[in-house]
Amino acid sequence: MKFSVATNFDNDLPARIADYGAHELFGKLPKDAAGGGRASYMLAPVSAMRLREHVRAVHRAGMTFNYLINFACMGNREFTRAGQKSLRRLLDWLSEIEVDSVTVSVPYMLELVKRRYPHFMVKVGVFASVDTPRKAKFFEDLGADCIAIQPLVTVRNFPRLRAIREAVGCELQLIANSTCLLECPMTPYHNVGLSHASQAGSQGFFIDYCLMRCLLKRLDDPAQYIKSPWIRPEDVHYYEAIGYSSLKILERGAPTETLVRRVRAYHDRQFDGNLLDLVQCWGYRDAHGKGEPRRGRFWELREFLRPRSVRPTRLLALKELAKLQGMLYDSGRESIRIDNRELDGFIERFVREDCSLLDCETCRYCDEFAARAVSVDQGFRDRCAALARGILGDLAGGGMWGLEKR
């Protein structure tokens, strides 16, 4: 199994993970002409110069660099003269700094890159929602060199994974540590919102409604932590047995020590501790170290002081929730724990049978494991849930903008 690993642009990271099966690092600028899979405020404030230097560090470690152009929507700007020029400037620059591959998520970008920049290896990202053999074949026929399988409905559906693997000859990649909701119905909306939130020139202010709704659902129902489509290090061999040999390890905002721990765990096929240390995309207990880009007070004011967009006082609850959860700041807390050892044997039922047509309320298999493995500090849960409900109420009722119905 080889690993494609998120980078936080610490130049020490490539050398530290090269011996654990990591062959590639992936990332992007916080904001560019195309946008991608994370809002710019979620990403390290990396400059073009720093990205260029990081690509060199990756190459020195004997690895390749993958740049993400994985937007789900550009507002149709890709079909305008200005949009085409901006994409060309971006791709020309990526060629100049010797990026090895790019990840796209819309079919048109796959064709564009293959036609105009044939030296790039092109990967199809999860925003393309490839979760059936027919979808995989479609992108392979357009020229995809690698396809990342959408995990929300597939990662524990072994008959479907086998069928996808048998349908195409290109490389297939699985996300190792996704924590999205099982079969999340908000995915298309979330993908579009995140794409626009990292595009240069976008005028909108992004409040992540989908994340708030997802967070509240987990706090109300801890079994959702178990239903999320992660892969435990101990279970990797089940996926190798059906022909998968590439794992993608998240998250781009994680400290170096967290990323090294994650790669080592999947390399060693063993992890004792809190599974959230491997799979959660915030709440890191490791502090960011020297050389890792961090956010400062200016960044905080720039991103969140938006009086023309929202009522600033209403964002205080959002900021408090972000701090409690460790979304934008180092956490050091362990208010939620998933004991990985209590999940031994969990995957075996899914290897034997397809549960996609079962009713969760009737089955309750995941609930039984959650009762043993998941523990949440009650005070933390109550405060976070109250804040999330208040934010969602302000968004739906208009209070975020002072537009409450009178």
Side-chain angles (χ1 to χ4, degrees), residues 40-61:
S40 59
Y41 66 74
M42 299 170 67
L43 300 175
V46 174
S47 66
M49 180 66 72
R50 181 150 192 166
L51 192 146
R52 181 194 294 265
E53 293 171 354
H54 191 63
V55 171
R56 292 172 181 162
V58 170
H59 289 163
R60 285 196 299 271

Side-chain angles (χ1 to χ4, degrees), residues 34 70-76 78 106 127 191-192 195-196 199:
N70 57 333
F71 63 86
C73 177
M74 270 188 72
N76 294 327
E78 67 269 35
V106 298
F127 278 15
N191 292 350
V192 170
S195 299
H196 288 300
Q199 285 167 359

Side-chain angles (χ1 to χ4, degrees), residues 1-18:
M1 187 67 71
K2 59 183 180 178
F3 306 122
S4 175
V5 184
T7 185
N8 58 10
F9 293 97
D10 176 3
N11 286 341
D12 291 336
L13 176 64
R16 293 192 60 187
I17 61 176

Side-chain angles (χ1 to χ4, degrees), residues 10-216:
D10 176 3
N11 286 341
D12 291 336
L13 176 64
R16 293 192 60 187
I17 61 176
D19 291 337
Y20 295 120
H23 75 102
E24 171 188 87
L25 267 71
F26 65 87
K28 69 183 285 91
L29 293 172
K31 189 170 288 188
D32 61 22
R38 296 290 184 271
S40 59
Y41 66 74
M42 299 170 67
L43 300 175
V46 174
S47 66
M49 180 66 72
R50 181 150 192 166
L51 192 146
R52 181 194 294 265
E53 293 171 354
H54 191 63
V55 171
R56 292 172 181 162
V58 170
H59 289 163
R60 285 196 299 271
M63 301 165 66
T64 60
F65 189 86
N66 174 257
Y67 190 89
L68 307 177
I69 314 177
N70 57 333
F71 63 86
C73 177
M74 270 188 72
N76 294 327
R77 287 190 300 110
E78 67 269 35
F79 300 117
T80 66
R81 189 182 301 274
Q84 284 288 313
K85 286 182 177 179
S86 66
L87 288 172
R88 185 179 68 189
R89 284 193 294 270
L90 175 61
L91 287 160
D92 285 349
W93 179 69
L94 295 178
S95 298
E96 177 191 333
I97 66 172
E98 299 183 340
V99 161
D100 303 283
S101 62
V102 296
T103 291
V104 303
S105 289
V106 298
Y108 171 65
M109 283 302 297
L110 173 55
E111 291 200 68
L112 184 156
V113 176
K114 278 293 182 180
R115 177 70 65 86
R116 304 184 206 175
Y117 298 86
H119 56 285
F120 282 135
M121 176 182 178
V122 185
K123 300 188 173 190
V124 173
V126 293
F127 278 15
S129 297
V130 176
D131 54 13
T132 68
R134 283 178 289 276
K135 290 181 184 179
K137 186 63 177 171
F138 171 83
F139 280 101
E140 183 182 52
D141 289 345
L142 284 183
D145 298 295
C146 175
I147 300 172
I149 303 301
Q150 168 58 264
L152 305 188
V153 298
T154 59
V155 79
R156 293 181 191 143
N157 189 326
F158 282 82
R160 183 179 293 208
L161 287 174
R162 288 190 192 93
I164 296 172
R165 180 64 281 176
E166 292 168 1
V168 296
C170 66
E171 181 180 353
L172 296 178
Q173 191 171 73
L174 297 173
I175 307 296
N177 53 339
S178 171
T179 55
C180 290
L181 294 176
L182 177 66
E183 299 180 20
C184 180
M186 299 182 289
T187 298
Y189 179 47
H190 203 188
N191 292 350
V192 170
L194 290 168
S195 299
H196 288 300
S198 54
Q199 285 167 359
S202 177
Q203 299 301 308
F205 177 60
F206 183 63
I207 297 177
D208 202 333
Y209 161 85
C210 297
L211 187 147
M212 293 298 110
R213 180 55 64 191
C214 171
L215 172 64
L216 184 57

